[in-house]
Amino acid sequence: FTPQTLAGKRVIVTAGGTRERLDPVRFLTNDSSGKMGYAVATAAKQAGADVTLITASTKLTAPAGVTVVPIQSTTDLSEAVLAAFPQADALVMAAAVADFQPDVTADQKIKKTADNDELILKLKKTPDILKQVAAIKQPGQVTVGFAAETQNLLANGQKKLVSKSLDLLAANDVSRADIGFNGDDNQVTFIAPNGVTDQTPKTSKTMIARALVDRVAQLLAEK
Ligand code: C5P
């Protein structure tokens, strides 16, 4: 990992949890802090890459020198990723993308009324961005996904890798309270398409991001 590791490479990183709007003042989101994605953007920048950080709203400050594209919903994220991907060498999808979005977003604030004791929300599946990317992926491009699992980490990870045509998947067990979503530390299992797995020690998201950047550089060199 040096300032030359990704020199001349264009890398897109997505980060944070998407917001799916119910009405002008309410949305559905998740626990993602964005820390893992920001750590990857920082590491890629330090490794000499030209970095585009497509980010949902977070409390974090973007690393200096990266191009920031703010997004809110999965639909926004999908549009931004699909627009940037054709010019990119690598995409790291660290964003925690919603699985479902409201079927309709109300134009006005949803009101409670005296005769309504319940509100039933209809949600529909979001588009799978990595699957859309897989359809336009060129042979020289590298794509990396993250998977937050609470069970069968390896089997579920392997399935995702194949279904999303990924070169690498970083899987983490979010049922553990000491790592993952919000914390500064993480522990991931890197899964390669040939089934080879490699578990990192529990360490800072910074160190995991550097290991990931090294792997992206190696994958690009092999293409
Ligand atoms: O299927 P699952 O959400 O567990 O897969 C996780 C990976 O897929 C992450 O890299 C996430 O950013 C990406 N993803 C996506 N589009 C979705 C949901 C997840 O690209 N709709």
Side-chain angles (χ1 to χ4, degrees), residues 11-31:
V11 178
I12 305 167
V13 183
T14 68
T18 60
R19 289 179 173 182
E20 310 302 329
R21 229 161 237 292
L22 293 170
D23 71 15
V25 297
R26 302 185 181 96
F27 52 79
L28 301 174
T29 190
N30 59 63
D31 271 329

Side-chain angles (χ1 to χ4, degrees), residues 91-164:
L91 165 68
V92 180
M93 276 293 294
V97 181
D99 290 326
F100 295 93
Q101 63 195 14
D103 191 28
V104 289
T105 299
D107 289 337
Q108 307 296 331
K109 186 180 170 192
I110 300 168
K111 303 292 269 181
K112 59 184 171 190
T113 57
D115 52 348
N116 271 359
D117 282 341
E118 61 182 17
L119 170 70
I120 295 172
L121 288 177
K122 186 172 175 189
L123 305 178
K124 62 183 179 198
K125 232 185 194 170
T126 54
D128 192 313
I129 300 168
L130 281 175
K131 279 192 186 158
Q132 295 175 320
V133 165
I136 57 166
K137 187 176 172 183
Q138 297 297 312
Q141 293 180 301
V142 166
T143 56
V144 181
F146 274 78
E149 301 288 348
T150 55
Q151 52 188 352
N152 299 331
L153 190 80
L154 297 183
N156 286 334
Q158 189 71 45
K159 266 189 225 149
K160 266 173 207 175
L161 192 94
V162 173
S163 72
K164 302 184 190 226

